[in-house]
PDB file of all heavy atoms in Angstrom:
ATOM      1  N   THR W  56     113.630  51.288  90.074  1.00  0.00           N
ATOM      2  CA  THR W  56     114.531  52.031  91.045  1.00  0.00           C
ATOM      3  C   THR W  56     115.608  51.155  91.757  1.00  0.00           C
ATOM      4  O   THR W  56     115.230  49.999  92.201  1.00  0.00           O
ATOM      5  CB  THR W  56     113.681  52.869  92.006  1.00  0.00           C
ATOM      6  OG1 THR W  56     114.575  53.501  92.934  1.00  0.00           O
ATOM      7  CG2 THR W  56     112.736  51.941  92.763  1.00  0.00           C
ATOM      8  N   GLY W  57     116.754  51.602  91.872  1.00  0.00           N
ATOM      9  CA  GLY W  57     117.824  50.908  92.668  1.00  0.00           C
ATOM     10  C   GLY W  57     118.514  49.754  91.868  1.00  0.00           C
ATOM     11  O   GLY W  57     119.271  49.010  92.480  1.00  0.00           O
ATOM     12  N   THR W  58     118.208  49.732  90.594  1.00  0.00           N
ATOM     13  CA  THR W  58     118.805  48.577  89.886  1.00  0.00           C
ATOM     14  C   THR W  58     120.085  48.737  89.201  1.00  0.00           C
ATOM     15  O   THR W  58     120.797  47.896  88.694  1.00  0.00           O
ATOM     16  CB  THR W  58     117.779  48.138  88.741  1.00  0.00           C
ATOM     17  OG1 THR W  58     117.480  49.295  87.921  1.00  0.00           O
ATOM     18  CG2 THR W  58     116.573  47.476  89.275  1.00  0.00           C
ATOM     19  N   GLY W  59     120.616  50.101  89.323  1.00  0.00           N
ATOM     20  CA  GLY W  59     121.958  50.316  88.881  1.00  0.00           C
ATOM     21  C   GLY W  59     121.967  51.292  87.673  1.00  0.00           C
ATOM     22  O   GLY W  59     123.179  51.524  87.159  1.00  0.00           O
ATOM     23  N   LYS W  60     120.931  51.945  87.262  1.00  0.00           N
ATOM     24  CA  LYS W  60     121.036  52.907  86.182  1.00  0.00           C
ATOM     25  C   LYS W  60     122.049  53.979  86.288  1.00  0.00           C
ATOM     26  O   LYS W  60     122.855  54.247  85.385  1.00  0.00           O
ATOM     27  CB  LYS W  60     119.600  53.675  85.980  1.00  0.00           C
ATOM     28  CG  LYS W  60     118.474  52.655  85.741  1.00  0.00           C
ATOM     29  CD  LYS W  60     117.192  53.296  85.487  1.00  0.00           C
ATOM     30  CE  LYS W  60     116.797  54.189  86.753  1.00  0.00           C
ATOM     31  NZ  LYS W  60     116.381  53.368  87.868  1.00  0.00           N
ATOM     32  N   THR W  61     122.044  54.705  87.415  1.00  0.00           N
ATOM     33  CA  THR W  61     122.879  55.802  87.523  1.00  0.00           C
ATOM     34  C   THR W  61     124.395  55.492  87.487  1.00  0.00           C
ATOM     35  O   THR W  61     125.215  55.993  86.960  1.00  0.00           O
ATOM     36  CB  THR W  61     122.588  56.624  88.853  1.00  0.00           C
ATOM     37  OG1 THR W  61     121.203  57.045  88.744  1.00  0.00           O
ATOM     38  CG2 THR W  61     123.462  57.797  88.913  1.00  0.00           C
ATOM     39  N   ARG W  62     124.699  54.205  88.059  1.00  0.00           N
ATOM     40  CA  ARG W  62     126.062  53.765  87.980  1.00  0.00           C
ATOM     41  C   ARG W  62     126.400  53.300  86.588  1.00  0.00           C
ATOM     42  O   ARG W  62     127.626  53.323  86.283  1.00  0.00           O
ATOM     43  CB  ARG W  62     126.244  52.592  89.024  1.00  0.00           C
ATOM     44  CG  ARG W  62     126.085  53.119  90.534  1.00  0.00           C
ATOM     45  CD  ARG W  62     126.901  54.307  90.803  1.00  0.00           C
ATOM     46  NE  ARG W  62     126.131  55.281  91.782  1.00  0.00           N
ATOM     47  CZ  ARG W  62     126.382  56.561  91.841  1.00  0.00           C
ATOM     48  NH1 ARG W  62     127.302  57.160  91.140  1.00  0.00           N
ATOM     49  NH2 ARG W  62     125.661  57.266  92.777  1.00  0.00           N
ATOM     50  N   LYS W  84     120.335  63.847  91.589  1.00  0.00           N
ATOM     51  CA  LYS W  84     120.269  63.681  93.081  1.00  0.00           C
ATOM     52  C   LYS W  84     121.614  64.338  93.658  1.00  0.00           C
ATOM     53  O   LYS W  84     121.883  64.288  94.853  1.00  0.00           O
ATOM     54  CB  LYS W  84     120.320  62.245  93.448  1.00  0.00           C
ATOM     55  CG  LYS W  84     118.860  61.711  93.058  1.00  0.00           C
ATOM     56  CD  LYS W  84     118.813  60.243  93.418  1.00  0.00           C
ATOM     57  CE  LYS W  84     117.474  59.659  92.889  1.00  0.00           C
ATOM     58  NZ  LYS W  84     117.419  58.245  92.717  1.00  0.00           N
ATOM     59  N   ARG W  99     133.227  43.859  97.408  1.00  0.00           N
ATOM     60  CA  ARG W  99     132.164  43.676  96.536  1.00  0.00           C
ATOM     61  C   ARG W  99     132.640  44.115  95.065  1.00  0.00           C
ATOM     62  O   ARG W  99     132.308  43.419  93.970  1.00  0.00           O
ATOM     63  CB  ARG W  99     130.930  44.490  96.880  1.00  0.00           C
ATOM     64  CG  ARG W  99     130.002  43.739  97.816  1.00  0.00           C
ATOM     65  CD  ARG W  99     128.766  44.434  98.322  1.00  0.00           C
ATOM     66  NE  ARG W  99     128.130  45.262  97.305  1.00  0.00           N
ATOM     67  CZ  ARG W  99     127.678  46.545  97.409  1.00  0.00           C
ATOM     68  NH1 ARG W  99     127.857  47.137  98.621  1.00  0.00           N
ATOM     69  NH2 ARG W  99     127.106  47.058  96.440  1.00  0.00           N
ATOM     70  N   ARG W 103     133.277  41.612  91.834  1.00  0.00           N
ATOM     71  CA  ARG W 103     132.657  41.941  90.560  1.00  0.00           C
ATOM     72  C   ARG W 103     133.683  41.932  89.349  1.00  0.00           C
ATOM     73  O   ARG W 103     133.468  41.330  88.358  1.00  0.00           O
ATOM     74  CB  ARG W 103     131.951  43.198  90.524  1.00  0.00           C
ATOM     75  CG  ARG W 103     131.031  43.643  89.443  1.00  0.00           C
ATOM     76  CD  ARG W 103     130.259  44.958  89.727  1.00  0.00           C
ATOM     77  NE  ARG W 103     128.977  44.792  90.437  1.00  0.00           N
ATOM     78  CZ  ARG W 103     127.765  44.522  89.799  1.00  0.00           C
ATOM     79  NH1 ARG W 103     127.751  44.477  88.445  1.00  0.00           N
ATOM     80  NH2 ARG W 103     126.640  44.461  90.363  1.00  0.00           N
ATOM     81  N   THR W 382     121.166  43.696  90.758  1.00  0.00           N
ATOM     82  CA  THR W 382     121.693  45.057  90.785  1.00  0.00           C
ATOM     83  C   THR W 382     123.079  45.124  89.846  1.00  0.00           C
ATOM     84  O   THR W 382     123.860  44.115  90.063  1.00  0.00           O
ATOM     85  CB  THR W 382     121.967  45.534  92.112  1.00  0.00           C
ATOM     86  OG1 THR W 382     120.842  45.372  92.847  1.00  0.00           O
ATOM     87  CG2 THR W 382     122.409  47.011  92.155  1.00  0.00           C
ATOM     88  N   GLY W 383     123.183  46.063  89.056  1.00  0.00           N
ATOM     89  CA  GLY W 383     124.372  46.183  88.293  1.00  0.00           C
ATOM     90  C   GLY W 383     124.448  45.103  87.171  1.00  0.00           C
ATOM     91  O   GLY W 383     125.513  44.786  86.676  1.00  0.00           O
ATOM     92  N   PHE W 405     130.661  45.934  84.504  1.00  0.00           N
ATOM     93  CA  PHE W 405     131.903  46.298  85.240  1.00  0.00           C
ATOM     94  C   PHE W 405     131.576  47.493  86.324  1.00  0.00           C
ATOM     95  O   PHE W 405     130.780  48.316  86.011  1.00  0.00           O
ATOM     96  CB  PHE W 405     132.852  46.665  84.163  1.00  0.00           C
ATOM     97  CG  PHE W 405     134.255  46.805  84.696  1.00  0.00           C
ATOM     98  CD1 PHE W 405     134.981  45.671  85.060  1.00  0.00           C
ATOM     99  CD2 PHE W 405     134.932  48.152  84.728  1.00  0.00           C
ATOM    100  CE1 PHE W 405     136.206  45.785  85.458  1.00  0.00           C
ATOM    101  CE2 PHE W 405     136.224  48.132  85.213  1.00  0.00           C
ATOM    102  CZ  PHE W 405     136.949  47.014  85.504  1.00  0.00           C
ATOM    103  N   PRO W 406     132.316  47.486  87.429  1.00  0.00           N
ATOM    104  CA  PRO W 406     132.101  48.596  88.274  1.00  0.00           C
ATOM    105  C   PRO W 406     132.728  49.858  87.854  1.00  0.00           C
ATOM    106  O   PRO W 406     133.750  49.844  87.184  1.00  0.00           O
ATOM    107  CB  PRO W 406     132.765  48.043  89.546  1.00  0.00           C
ATOM    108  CG  PRO W 406     133.597  47.031  89.157  1.00  0.00           C
ATOM    109  CD  PRO W 406     133.226  46.413  87.882  1.00  0.00           C
ATOM    110  N   PRO W 407     132.181  51.044  88.179  1.00  0.00           N
ATOM    111  CA  PRO W 407     132.695  52.159  87.861  1.00  0.00           C
ATOM    112  C   PRO W 407     134.045  52.394  88.702  1.00  0.00           C
ATOM    113  O   PRO W 407     134.215  51.736  89.667  1.00  0.00           O
ATOM    114  CB  PRO W 407     131.718  53.337  88.400  1.00  0.00           C
ATOM    115  CG  PRO W 407     130.429  52.608  88.509  1.00  0.00           C
ATOM    116  CD  PRO W 407     130.797  51.161  88.719  1.00  0.00           C
ATOM    117  N   MET W 411     131.404  56.029  93.878  1.00  0.00           N
ATOM    118  CA  MET W 411     130.107  55.999  93.507  1.00  0.00           C
ATOM    119  C   MET W 411     129.290  56.703  94.557  1.00  0.00           C
ATOM    120  O   MET W 411     128.781  56.143  95.428  1.00  0.00           O
ATOM    121  CB  MET W 411     129.592  54.501  93.531  1.00  0.00           C
ATOM    122  CG  MET W 411     130.140  53.830  92.321  1.00  0.00           C
ATOM    123  SD  MET W 411     129.216  52.048  92.269  1.00  0.00           S
ATOM    124  CE  MET W 411     130.307  51.085  93.083  1.00  0.00           C
TER     125      MET W 411
HETATM  126  N1  ATP A 601     128.097  48.383  87.789  1.00  0.00           N
HETATM  127  C1  ATP A 601     127.944  48.400  89.228  1.00  0.00           C
HETATM  128  N2  ATP A 601     129.038  48.049  89.949  1.00  0.00           N
HETATM  129  C2  ATP A 601     129.039  47.965  91.255  1.00  0.00           C
HETATM  130  N3  ATP A 601     127.974  48.361  91.985  1.00  0.00           N
HETATM  131  C3  ATP A 601     126.901  48.796  91.331  1.00  0.00           C
HETATM  132  C4  ATP A 601     126.820  48.895  89.923  1.00  0.00           C
HETATM  133  N4  ATP A 601     125.573  49.225  89.557  1.00  0.00           N
HETATM  134  C5  ATP A 601     124.936  49.525  90.728  1.00  0.00           C
HETATM  135  N5  ATP A 601     125.733  49.141  91.768  1.00  0.00           N
HETATM  136  C6  ATP A 601     125.237  49.244  93.174  1.00  0.00           C
HETATM  137  O1  ATP A 601     123.784  49.531  93.341  1.00  0.00           O
HETATM  138  C7  ATP A 601     123.375  50.698  93.919  1.00  0.00           C
HETATM  139  C8  ATP A 601     122.095  51.379  93.261  1.00  0.00           C
HETATM  140  O2  ATP A 601     122.520  51.804  92.015  1.00  0.00           O
HETATM  141  P1  ATP A 601     121.947  53.093  91.253  1.00  0.00           P
HETATM  142  O3  ATP A 601     122.011  54.160  92.258  1.00  0.00           O
HETATM  143  O4  ATP A 601     122.724  53.182  90.032  1.00  0.00           O
HETATM  144  O5  ATP A 601     120.519  52.743  90.905  1.00  0.00           O
HETATM  145  P2  ATP A 601     119.385  53.564  90.123  1.00  0.00           P
HETATM  146  O6  ATP A 601     118.848  52.543  89.178  1.00  0.00           O
HETATM  147  O7  ATP A 601     119.879  54.756  89.434  1.00  0.00           O
HETATM  148  O8  ATP A 601     118.352  53.918  91.271  1.00  0.00           O
HETATM  149  P3  ATP A 601     117.257  55.134  91.265  1.00  0.00           P
HETATM  150  O9  ATP A 601     116.139  54.764  90.371  1.00  0.00           O
HETATM  151  O10 ATP A 601     116.778  55.189  92.739  1.00  0.00           O
HETATM  152  O11 ATP A 601     117.969  56.430  90.852  1.00  0.00           O
HETATM  153  C9  ATP A 601     124.707  51.522  93.883  1.00  0.00           C
HETATM  154  O12 ATP A 601     124.738  52.477  94.909  1.00  0.00           O
HETATM  155  C10 ATP A 601     125.883  50.476  93.864  1.00  0.00           C
HETATM  156  O13 ATP A 601     126.038  50.187  95.164  1.00  0.00           O
END
Side-chain angles (χ1 to χ4, degrees):
T56 174
T58 52
K60 299 181 297 294
T61 302
R62 295 311 145 200
K84 295 177 182 159
R99 277 176 43 221
R103 196 173 265 271
T382 304
F405 193 68
M411 288 194 264

